[in-house]
């Protein structure tokens, strides 16, 4: 009976977590939020106002469930780029699904021509079953290869457009931003090949989920620090919404319309509910065998080590030890 109760409680908590994840992606899908992210990560938009960048996202966007390689598009109406879980299936390849995928013009583009393809991914923590950077490389490469017969035809490789795959990883110990991209090294001679090295870009932003005040930083670090500050403000569970919206608007220039406000409020309520449920489960389970069963059930329904540790009021190391001691493979 205890095992059944633990399993039911874990599944209920995981359902809350899934709802939270979906709301988090929807909040990220608002144009002004995306515009701020672009202003801090994409060279073409650095120094531009958030509202000006948001206007460049206008136009064609890929909507949920549209195969990228077939080039089908639809037009999003409203301020949120909704459900951009664009799927991409090819022979000998598994299904590839993007959290958020859209095209954006650069200021120098002519009408109807898009300068960059943007992919934004949200991760609740750093995965343990694989290296996140490897997955990001795969996503970015698929964004490049999917352009054939859509952005360019035959051998017109110069018509390829840049891609940015931007990953936001929550529940990290420290804030960080990394840019992974191609670099050309001349190993012999003096010749340099033109083009290509700026086509593939991966940005990984690790955030703690704890809001922080503005602080002095070097010019090279300012954009990355501001990006982490905004994301931490957006996703911090234990932050008063009134203060959250004020900071997003005043500190980061993000337009808080009715839709974004409601999306963020629901997301935060789900996050708070998840924490409270986890705390209640931890109190009921106490310690010993019941607690170990709860940990195993949490993990088997898909919960991450970070989530379980928060729910059970313990450390990730203890969670990992319980799972490995019971022969559970750490595959996510």
């Amino acid at each position: 009976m205890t095992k059944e109760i633990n399993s039911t409680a874990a599944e209920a908590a995981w359902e809350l977590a899934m709802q939270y994840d979906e709301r988090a992606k929807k909040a990220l899908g608002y144009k002004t939020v995306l515009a701020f992210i672009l202003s801090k990560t994409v060279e073409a938009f650095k120094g531009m106002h958030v509202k000006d960048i948001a206007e460049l996202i206008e136009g064609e966007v890929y909507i949920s469930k549209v195969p990228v390689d077939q080039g089908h598009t639809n037009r999003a109406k409203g301020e949120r780029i909704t459900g951009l879980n664009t799927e991409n299936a090819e022979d000998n390849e598994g299904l590839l699904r993007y959290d958020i995928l859209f095209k954006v013009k650069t200021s120098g583009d002519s009408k109807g021509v898009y300068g960059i393809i943007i992919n934004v991914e949200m991760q609740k923590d750093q995965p343990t079953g694989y290296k996140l950077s490897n997955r990001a490389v795969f996503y970015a490469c698929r964004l490049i290869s999917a352009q054939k017969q859509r952005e360019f035809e035959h051998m017109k490789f110069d018509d390829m457009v840049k891609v940015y795959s931007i990953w936001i990883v929550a529940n990290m110990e420290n804030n960080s931003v990394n840019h992974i991209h191609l670099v050309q090294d001349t190993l012999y001679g003096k010749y340099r090949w033109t083009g290509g090295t700026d086509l593939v870009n991966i940005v990984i932003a690790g955030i703690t989920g704890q809001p922080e005040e503005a602080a002095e930083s070097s010019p090279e670090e300012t954009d990355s620090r501001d990006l982490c500050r905004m994301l931490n403000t957006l996703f911090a569970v234990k932050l008063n919404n009134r203060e959250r919206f004020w900071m997003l608007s005043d500190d980061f220039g993000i337009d808080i319309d009715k839709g974004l406000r409601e999306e963020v409020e629901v997301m935060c309520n789900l996050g708070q509910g998840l924490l409270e449920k986890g705390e209640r489960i931890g109190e009921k389970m106490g310690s010993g065998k019941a607690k170990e069963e709860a940990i195993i059930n949490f993990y088997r329904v898909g919960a991450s080590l970070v989530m379980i540790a928060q729910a059970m009021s313990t450390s990730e190391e203890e969670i990992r030890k319980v799972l490995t001691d019971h022969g559970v493979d750490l595959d996510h």
Side-chain angles (χ1 to χ4, degrees):
M1 178 62 73
T2 301
K3 185 176 291 187
E4 292 177 359
I5 293 173
N6 289 350
S7 180
T8 300
E11 289 174 2
W14 183 239
E15 177 62 28
L16 274 179
M18 289 295 93
Q19 293 179 40
Y20 176 87
D21 288 347
E22 287 304 309
R23 292 292 180 171
K25 292 171 186 176
K26 289 179 179 179
L28 277 177
Y30 276 81
K31 289 186 297 183
T32 52
V33 176
L34 291 172
F36 182 87
I37 294 173
L38 297 183
S39 74
K40 304 302 178 183
T41 57
V42 179
E43 193 63 36
F45 303 119
K46 289 189 175 182
M48 291 180 60
H49 293 295
V50 171
K51 289 184 178 179
D52 293 336
I53 300 172
E55 291 179 358
L56 296 175
I57 301 176
E58 296 278 2
E60 279 190 16
V61 281
Y62 290 97
I63 306 302
S64 180
K65 309 295 184 181
V66 179
V68 176
D69 54 339
Q70 294 181 20
H72 298 300
T73 60
N74 201 344
R75 193 169 295 273
K77 297 179 181 179
E79 291 305 304
R80 178 165 61 84
I81 300 174
T82 57
L84 291 171
N85 295 318
T86 306
E87 298 176 355
N88 194 328
E90 291 188 354
D91 292 340
N92 302 318
E93 288 193 45
L95 185 67
L96 178 62
R97 181 173 299 175
Y98 305 105
D99 285 347
I100 299 174
L101 182 66
F102 62 98
K103 293 181 177 182
V104 58
K105 298 176 184 178
T106 56
S107 57
D109 290 331
S110 60
K111 185 177 181 181
V113 177
Y114 293 92
I116 305 175
I117 296 174
I118 307 291
N119 163 226
V120 181
E121 297 289 324
M122 183 72 192
Q123 298 285 297
K124 58 182 175 293
D125 57 18
Q126 184 176 2
T128 57
Y130 60 88
K131 293 180 175 62
L132 181 68
S133 58
N134 289 350
R135 181 179 174 186
V137 168
F138 177 75
Y139 275 45
C141 289
R142 286 297 295 120
L143 292 174
I144 288 288
S145 65
Q147 293 183 39
K148 186 168 174 57
Q149 307 306 326
R150 193 184 64 207
E151 267 70 38
F152 74 97
E153 296 180 352
H154 306 301
M155 300 293 285
K156 297 181 180 180
F157 294 107
D158 287 352
D159 291 340
M160 286 192 298
V161 300
K162 295 178 185 178
V163 302
Y164 272 77
S165 188
I166 303 170
W167 295 70
I168 300 164
V169 186
N171 294 305
M172 298 292 288
E173 291 185 5
N174 300 289
N175 296 311
S176 63
V177 178
N178 293 79
H179 180 205
I180 301 171
H181 54 106
L182 299 176
V183 175
Q184 180 180 170
D185 295 323
T186 302
L187 304 180
Y188 177 70
K190 298 181 179 180
Y191 192 80
R192 298 285 292 181
W193 295 92
T194 59
T197 55
D198 62 346
L199 283 174
V200 181
N201 298 273
I202 297 167
V203 177
I204 304 178
I207 58 173
T208 62
Q210 303 299 321
E212 58 179 329
E213 298 293 331
E216 290 292 330
S217 58
S218 66
E220 296 79 13
E221 294 180 337
T222 298
D223 282 343
S224 295
R225 186 183 182 92
D226 287 346
L227 174 64
C228 291
R229 287 184 57 233
M230 188 282 288
L231 293 171
N232 282 320
T233 300
L234 179 63
F235 293 117
V237 175
K238 297 181 178 180
L239 181 64
N240 179 278
N241 277 337
R242 183 176 180 180
E243 183 179 2
R244 184 195 317 278
F245 293 133
W246 180 83
M247 292 174 65
L248 289 173
S249 177
D250 194 68
D251 290 358
F252 308 114
I254 295 174
D255 182 28
I256 309 297
D257 64 10
K258 180 179 178 182
L260 178 56
R261 181 182 297 274
E262 291 177 352
E263 205 71 70
V264 172
E265 286 176 346
V266 173
M267 176 188 73
C268 293
N269 288 339
L270 288 168
Q272 187 62 43
L274 181 61
L275 286 179
E276 292 173 357
K277 180 176 284 291
E279 290 171 357
R280 289 196 297 270
I281 292 172
E283 291 173 357
K284 289 181 180 179
M285 295 302 101
S287 59
K289 186 177 180 180
K291 184 176 182 179
E292 292 178 353
E293 289 177 354
I295 290 172
I296 294 169
N297 283 318
F298 260 108
Y299 191 78
R300 284 178 174 166
V301 298
S304 68
L305 298 182
V306 171
M307 174 187 164
I308 302 171
Q310 291 176 341
M312 307 302 292
S313 300
T314 187
S315 66
E316 289 184 52
E317 289 72 20
E318 181 180 345
I319 301 300
R320 185 178 286 104
K321 184 177 186 305
V322 169
L323 293 171
T324 54
D325 286 350
H326 285 79
V328 178
D329 292 331
L330 301 182
D331 54 4
H332 65 270

